[in-house]
Amino acid sequence: MTRIRFDHRPFSRATRALVAGLGLVLLSSCKLADVFDLSGNQSTMLTAGPVAKAQWDLFMVTVYVCTFIFIVVGAILAYAQVKFRARSESDEHAEPPPEAHGNPFVEIGLIAASVALLVIIAIPTLRDIWYTHDVPEDEKGNAMEVVATGNQWWFKFEYPSELVKLPNGGEAPLVTGNELVVPAGIPVRVQLRTIDVIHSFWIPKLAGKVDMMPNRANFLWFKADQPGYFYGQCAEFCGESHAIMRFRVIALSPRDYAQWLENQKAPARTVTPALLADAVDRSARVQFAAMKRNPGEALSASPAFDADPLNAWREMQHPEVGENAQLIATGRQLFAAKTCVSCHSIRGHEGIGISGPDLTRVGARSTIAAGVLENTHERMHAWIKDPNHFKPGNKMWFGGYNVKDGDNWKPNFTMNDQEIDALVAYLHSLK
Amino acid sequence: MAEVIAQSGFTGKQTARRATTFALFPRPTAKTGLVSWLTTVDHKKIGMLYGGFAILFFLIGGIEALMIRTQLMVPNNRFISAQLYSELFTMHGTTMIFLAVMPLNAAFFNLLIPIQVGARDVAFPRLNSFSLWVWVVGAILLNVGWISHFVPSWNFGGAPDVGWFGYAPLTSKSFTPDLSTDFWVLGIQVLGISSIVASLNFIVTIINLRAPGLTMMRLPVFTWMALVTSFLLVLALPAIAIALVMVMFDRNFGTNFFEVSGGGQPILWQHLFWVFGHPEVYILILPPMGYVSEILPTFARKPLFGYPIVVFSGIAIGFIGFGVWSHHMFTTGLGTVATAAFALATMAIAVPTGVKVFNWIGTLWGGRIVTRVPMMFALGFIWMFMMGGLSGIMHSAAPADAQQQDSYFVIAHFHYVLIGGATFALLAAIHFWFPKFFGRMVPEFWGKLSFWIIFVGFNATFFPMHFLGLNGMPRRTWTYDSNMGWNEGNLFATYGAYLLGLGMFTYFAVLVWSFFKGEKCGNDPWDARTLEWSIPSPPPEHNFAAIPTVHARDAWWYEKTHKEEIAQEKAAHIKAEESHGGIHMPDQSWYPLFAAIGLLVGAYNLAQLHYPVTMFGQQVLASHLPLAITGLGLMVAACYLWALEGPGGYHLHIDAEGKVTESRGDHH
């Protein structure tokens, strides 16, 4: 009988030390616990509504079953590896074990056990497929409907049952961009549309994703148990800036929601010296009741905001202190002159464009550029100055700042810092 | 024109049939040097070429992965641009699937199948050469776009950037107007041609060229899995071929299969793509299951436990694999009934997969486990594949999948299957069969060291990704914000990826060293069980001096214990064969290479059909159509001349001392 010829050299002590050292370097350079963090702003574990909760609970069923299988099969495999290991040269070259070819009873038993374990997963899976699909029958009367439309690379939100007066006397659904405000405790059915490629609508703490497919009437539903501020993101690759196509969902108590809605439906706020002199307007236009904090723990790089995002968002609803009516008026002129109006709408002011987000209340949003930048003066300035830096390939840069000239792009207009400051002041006055 | 009496390739007997042959390029006879490799029909040389190219692309795909991981190391990183990131993850996926794992499997199909079935070559040797060179053409087409980054005048818009799945309508001319998508479409299409041709070749080889006594239920499990894989390829690839033709027509000829503005249905692409794409997963993993099923018995020193069940579960996986494609589409709005059906089918496919794991453990049970490097990779395969398989079961719960789909959880899952599974098995296979085909051993110490670095690096990279996904990190994202709780997981994964890269570098560096300096070995260094270990290392061109008669599974193991019986049979076989004219060998040919070059010229120009041809800044032609037609014409001409060339072939004669002589022309 042929022998397996080969020297059997174990690792030297030095090698083992090297491996252990490398491992320690890896472990010590990041906080290990944070590697396995599940408490982020898009955690699927810290659920805030029944749909996400059903999905997480089902996931945990699969985790229990699979962990059980892994432990049992892994234990047997580990036992076999240790128990039947050749321990010495002579062991390796001993007569081979008997030529056993299998055992049908063992095989059938294991197949039956596998099927039984899968049934444990299958039952809640089937139940939840129907539950998560659409608003339950008994809640349908209570549900509200919104339309979310994916664009490269931002989200448009429409409220089909909330009509606003247009300057021409007509009526149209209320439109916002990138921040979806909904009432807490009420099922929300989101119709999913896209005007270009496939996007996917995902608010991890409230509901798993459903794709926005062209020529297909998809929808999803969710319900926020409590008022809160939630992170969402496009989850289907949709081109260059897919990574920075984000949005927020803000759930308010029904009363706050009604107030928010009322403010939204009014035409854009016009700042004049007379208005600023009027003390009444200095106070908040939207009065919020004291609300429970968002129970989700948000890790934050921008502590001021993330410490209490919902409160921070509420602060954004108030007109800013120290508004300059003249600067704002200049900004409003620039908004028209620099062709912003051809893509953006500010209802009651200038602008009829629909290919960019509606900006009627842009100053009251907590983020700009589709959830990418906090809506501060500095960041809006930076965004307007160089949008392509923050969102490569975006249509404000390609088509607005630059226009097509044959096969090439040529600059359409530029803005200096003073002009941008005026524009920012104007946009931030839109509360 | 010349008339010769044809020889039957099977029996070596003269037949009454007369063949007309015409050779524009005489058949090359070089056995070494460049021409021998370019015109080879030897399955072992073709296998090595597949393997060499595949390892090259495996390293390129690995570098792409390391660039991706470097970009994601810290939040809001600006290491590479969003556009380049899209190109990198598209080409990382495309490369690893089509240009690394599939051709590595093809390399082993070529190297092993003819020997394991006791044949001297594949059924259609020239067609085999054609598959190889067509595969090279596909690889060139997919990667040609990189040139745009270095030579601006070759304006292809960079490498493909629509994802390896190329979801419509992002592939539409309105959203990706540059040529990169056209090259992607044609590149995948050409690779499909190569795979279908190769698969048909292997199906015929396995079914028709088996040695006497080698019944189907005595086939080595690897060959069985290769057979199932070949059927999967033949049946799955037409779906993507059709879908790619549709995209090509949408982009170039104004059809609207997926064009939304014309009423097209982008969802159709996803169904066609995944009808191919899911069997593709099993195309990648079934051959690795075959390697492991060969390696475990060798080093446990007992036969595979439950051979028929392992074979039938492989076939079952192949069948059910065609019925689960929509589990990639749970979030596309399938509706409740379809979602439920595909969820249950997905759970069902876990059963035959689990059966394989049980039987591998059964193989170890009661064995005498000899821990050599291939065995370590094979055991690592079982552990990692179990992890990937179980997270796969988690995805079958469709509502839970709504959270995991397109998140890093999915990335963790399929890398456990494709690195921990397929790649570990391939690394085991490379180490296991390296001595057979190069006649030298790979040093045990360095092999084990590379195993441990790869094992630790792999888990450090991909285990945290389960948590990143559950913490809401979507995949295919160029960057992320710092307040999402993803910073530490990404940093850790990037360190792990560097370690994994170091391990892979060690593994292949040792392989290169062993090629030149490794200790020489004999026929059967592992005391293995199947026929390839019965012949010299490296095997001679004709593989077997005498075709063996197979009496049992693990034919070589049987031969080792029945030496006299087999020796007598072999002597009889040699005598019989010599009386028929000697060992019949296929002739080399230029035409497969020429046909592939014609295809390259044709496809390269077809991709840029509507663009003018310029030379030195001057427009020479209004479109690439004449060049495309020229190229495809060249291919047709080469195929025609290939047919006229005739089957050819020559004979080898082995005398009593084992000396080999060659003869051409008529024999008696």
Side-chain angles (χ1 to χ4, degrees), chain A residues 311-323:
Chain A
N311 247 330
W313 179 85
R314 272 190 283 154
E315 293 298 324
M316 302 288 299
Q317 309 306 307
H318 303 222
E320 286 164 4
V321 180
E323 287 183 316

Side-chain angles (χ1 to χ4, degrees), chain A residues 1-2 4-8 11 15 22 26-27 29-32 34-45 52 55-56 58-59 62-63 66 69-70 73-74 76-81 84-86 91-92 94-103 107 110-111 114-115 118 121-122 125-126 128-130 132-133 152 196-198 202 204 207-211 213-216 218 231 233-240 242-244 246 299-301 306 389-390 392, chain B residues 78 82-83 86 89 161-162 165 167-170 175 260 263-267 270 300-307 309 331-333 335-336 339-340 344 347 351 355 358-359 361 364-372 379 382-383 386-387 390 393-394 397-400 402-407 409 441-442 444-445 448-449 452 463-464 467 470-472 474-486 488-489 492 495 499 519-521 524-527 529 557 560:
Chain A
M1 201 203 74
T2 335
I4 298 187
R5 24 162 260 118
F6 227 32
D7 61 330
H8 184 73
F11 288 121
T15 317
L22 270 172
L26 263 173
L27 293 182
S29 55
C30 347
K31 281 175 282 170
L32 196 61
D34 290 346
V35 170
F36 305 114
D37 177 36
L38 284 181
S39 66
N41 285 324
Q42 286 183 186
S43 168
T44 59
M45 181 179 77
Q55 288 164 337
W56 177 260
L58 175 62
F59 173 69
T62 69
V63 170
C66 291
I69 298 173
F70 187 79
V73 180
I76 297 169
L77 173 57
Y79 176 80
Q81 267 182 254
F84 301 109
R85 185 170 171 208
D91 236 13
E92 289 188 356
E95 265 308 295
E99 303 274 292
H101 287 279
N103 181 329
E107 305 274 7
L110 287 169
I111 291 172
S114 313
V115 172
L118 288 170
I121 296 178
T125 297
L126 292 177
D128 286 345
I129 287 173
W130 268 266
T132 57
H133 178 67
Q152 280 181 323
D196 38 50
V197 299
I198 300 170
W202 188 25
K209 60 193 78 63
V210 175
D211 296 348
M213 299 283 297
N215 285 350
R216 214 174 151 81
N218 279 353
Y231 283 66
Q233 184 156 5
C234 174
E236 182 61 85
F237 179 64
C238 56
E240 202 175 354
H242 159 61
I244 37 194
R246 304 172 191 159
L299 293 176
S300 176
D306 265 353
H389 176 75
F390 294 102
Chain B
R78 293 267 169 184
Q83 172 58 32
S86 302
F89 80 70
D161 57 359
V162 288
F165 50 95
Y167 271 9
L170 192 60
F175 302 109
V260 180
Q265 283 293 355
I267 191 82
Q270 293 193 23
R301 314 200 38 75
K302 64 192 268 285
L304 186 71
F305 188 84
Y307 170 97
I309 303 238
T331 64
T332 57
T336 46
T339 303
L344 295 179
M347 289 174 197
V351 176
V355 163
F358 301 146
N359 282 286
I361 297 176
L364 297 175
W365 199 269
R368 201 158 279 126
I369 301 172
V370 179
T371 319
R372 293 289 180 271
L379 291 171
I382 302 180
W383 282 102
M386 245 160 67
M387 299 262 303
L390 291 171
I393 293 178
M394 295 178 186
Q403 291 282 19
Q404 293 146 17
Q405 162 80 359
D406 275 328
S407 80
F409 193 89
M441 303 298 289
V442 187
E444 226 12 41
F445 171 83
K448 283 185 177 162
L449 182 68
W452 281 114
F463 194 71
F467 292 82
L470 293 175
N471 208 12
R475 66 193 283 205
R476 300 175 187 129
T477 44
W478 159 62
T479 189
Y480 55 94
D481 209 357
S482 60
N483 63 343
M484 306 303 285
W486 304 333
E488 304 291 334
F492 195 83
Y495 284 152
L499 196 60
E519 191 192 346
K520 294 214 163 140
C521 67
D524 186 16
W526 309 115
D527 195 12
R529 315 178 74 85
W557 192 264
K560 283 192 258 193

Side-chain angles (χ1 to χ4, degrees), chain B residues 66-122:
Chain B
L66 290 181
M67 288 177 76
I68 290 170
R69 280 312 323 162
T70 305
Q71 164 65 17
L72 294 177
M73 192 171 189
V74 289
N76 296 319
N77 198 0
R78 293 267 169 184
F79 171 64
I80 47 179
S81 70
Q83 172 58 32
L84 183 58
Y85 187 87
S86 302
E87 292 173 29
L88 284 172
F89 80 70
T90 300
M91 287 309 293
H92 168 70
T94 308
T95 300
M96 287 307 196
I97 291 167
F98 293 102
L99 306 181
V101 175
M102 279 175 80
L104 267 174
N105 285 336
F108 280 107
F109 285 18
N110 269 293
L111 291 170
L112 294 177
I113 289 174
I115 308 183
Q116 286 199 337
V117 302
R120 294 214 162 92
D121 208 320
V122 293

Side-chain angles (χ1 to χ4, degrees), chain A residues 69-238:
Chain A
I69 298 173
F70 187 79
I71 289 173
V72 172
V73 180
I76 297 169
L77 173 57
Y79 176 80
Q81 267 182 254
V82 174
K83 163 91 177 156
F84 301 109
R85 185 170 171 208
R87 276 160 219 290
S88 61
E89 278 280 297
S90 58
D91 236 13
E92 289 188 356
H93 298 141
E95 265 308 295
E99 303 274 292
H101 287 279
N103 181 329
F105 293 105
V106 172
E107 305 274 7
I108 291 166
L110 287 169
I111 291 172
S114 313
V115 172
L117 286 165
L118 288 170
V119 169
I120 298 178
I121 296 178
I123 291 167
T125 297
L126 292 177
R127 185 194 61 206
D128 286 345
I129 287 173
W130 268 266
Y131 177 68
T132 57
H133 178 67
D134 203 350
V135 184
E137 279 305 318
D138 54 340
E139 292 195 74
K140 272 218 166 115
N142 193 19
M144 77 172 260
E145 194 110 348
V146 293
V147 181
T149 307
N151 293 252
Q152 280 181 323
W153 293 279
W154 61 281
F155 291 92
K156 178 167 92 170
F157 299 115
E158 285 168 284
Y159 296 74
S161 52
E162 305 297 341
L163 298 178
V164 293
K165 289 259 182 301
L166 296 180
N168 65 6
E171 282 189 329
L174 174 66
V175 179
T176 68
N178 298 322
E179 290 193 356
L180 175 63
V181 180
V182 295
I186 288 172
V188 180
R189 193 176 189 274
V190 189
Q191 296 185 33
L192 302 168
R193 306 278 180 270
T194 171
I195 68 151
D196 38 50
V197 299
I198 300 170
H199 303 279
S200 193
F201 188 80
W202 188 25
I203 327 148
K205 288 187 179 183
L206 294 174
K209 60 193 78 63
V210 175
D211 296 348
M212 299 166 140
M213 299 283 297
N215 285 350
R216 214 174 151 81
N218 279 353
F219 60 88
L220 62 72
W221 79 281
F222 68 83
K223 182 165 79 176
D225 292 331
Q226 300 287 334
Y229 183 93
F230 304 102
Y231 283 66
Q233 184 156 5
C234 174
E236 182 61 85
F237 179 64
C238 56

Side-chain angles (χ1 to χ4, degrees), chain B residues 10-358:
Chain B
F10 248 117
T11 60
K13 281 180 186 164
Q14 266 186 17
T15 60
R17 184 162 52 87
R18 282 177 173 269
T20 308
T21 63
F22 167 73
L24 185 63
F25 295 91
R27 302 190 82 144
T29 52
K31 296 286 178 207
T32 54
L34 185 64
V35 170
S36 80
W37 288 93
L38 291 176
T39 63
T40 188
V41 291
D42 177 359
H43 69 97
K44 297 175 289 299
K45 280 187 170 173
I46 290 174
M48 284 179 202
L49 286 171
Y50 263 119
F53 286 130
I55 288 172
L56 175 73
F57 278 106
F58 183 72
L59 296 178
I60 292 175
I63 290 166
E64 286 159 359
L66 290 181
M67 288 177 76
I68 290 170
R69 280 312 323 162
T70 305
Q71 164 65 17
L72 294 177
M73 192 171 189
V74 289
N76 296 319
N77 198 0
R78 293 267 169 184
F79 171 64
I80 47 179
S81 70
Q83 172 58 32
L84 183 58
Y85 187 87
S86 302
E87 292 173 29
L88 284 172
F89 80 70
T90 300
M91 287 309 293
H92 168 70
T94 308
T95 300
M96 287 307 196
I97 291 167
F98 293 102
L99 306 181
V101 175
M102 279 175 80
L104 267 174
N105 285 336
F108 280 107
F109 285 18
N110 269 293
L111 291 170
L112 294 177
I113 289 174
I115 308 183
Q116 286 199 337
V117 302
R120 294 214 162 92
D121 208 320
V122 293
F124 309 110
R126 285 179 295 172
L127 206 57
N128 202 19
S129 165
F130 178 73
S131 309
L132 168 74
W133 297 116
V134 168
W135 177 84
V136 173
V137 169
I140 293 172
L141 291 172
L142 281 175
N143 282 281
V144 73
W146 291 119
I147 295 175
S148 308
H149 290 290
F150 307 104
V151 188
S153 61
W154 289 37
N155 189 12
F156 300 149
D161 57 359
V162 288
W164 89 277
F165 50 95
Y167 271 9
L170 192 60
T171 49
S172 145
K173 206 91 179 161
S174 344
F175 302 109
T176 44
D178 58 47
L179 285 167
S180 61
T181 307
D182 298 292
F183 278 108
W184 178 79
V185 166
L186 278 161
I188 303 282
Q189 192 71 282
V190 166
L191 290 175
I193 297 171
S194 162
S195 291
I196 289 185
V197 169
S199 301
L200 291 169
N201 210 342
F202 290 123
I203 290 170
V204 177
T205 304
I206 294 170
I207 293 178
N208 285 5
L209 298 194
R210 279 169 293 135
L214 182 52
T215 60
M216 290 307 275
M217 289 314 278
R218 285 178 182 167
L219 275 183
V221 176
F222 165 71
T223 298
W224 250 118
M225 292 305 111
L227 181 64
V228 176
T229 305
S230 299
F231 273 108
L232 287 185
L233 277 163
V234 169
L235 296 172
L237 279 163
I240 183 122
I242 291 161
L244 288 168
V245 167
M246 287 169 161
V247 176
M248 188 171 89
F249 272 67
D250 273 9
R251 287 180 64 86
N252 291 309
F253 306 113
T255 56
N256 48 23
F257 295 106
F258 310 121
E259 283 294 334
V260 180
S261 55
Q265 283 293 355
I267 191 82
L268 175 62
W269 165 268
Q270 293 193 23
H271 282 291
L272 288 170
F273 180 81
W274 288 116
V275 163
F276 150 77
H278 197 80
E280 172 70 21
V281 173
Y282 297 104
I283 288 163
L284 297 174
I285 198 68
L286 281 173
M289 288 173 165
Y291 311 136
V292 169
S293 303
E294 300 286 315
I295 292 168
L296 289 176
T298 300
F299 293 101
R301 314 200 38 75
K302 64 192 268 285
L304 186 71
F305 188 84
Y307 170 97
I309 303 238
V310 173
V311 168
F312 284 124
S313 63
I315 297 170
I317 289 172
F319 268 107
I320 309 174
F322 275 100
V324 297
W325 77 89
S326 279
H327 71 206
H328 298 267
M329 299 165 59
F330 279 150
T331 64
T332 57
L334 289 170
T336 46
V337 176
T339 303
F342 282 106
L344 295 179
T346 305
M347 289 174 197
I349 205 167
V351 176
T353 314
V355 163
K356 293 209 162 205
V357 175
F358 301 146

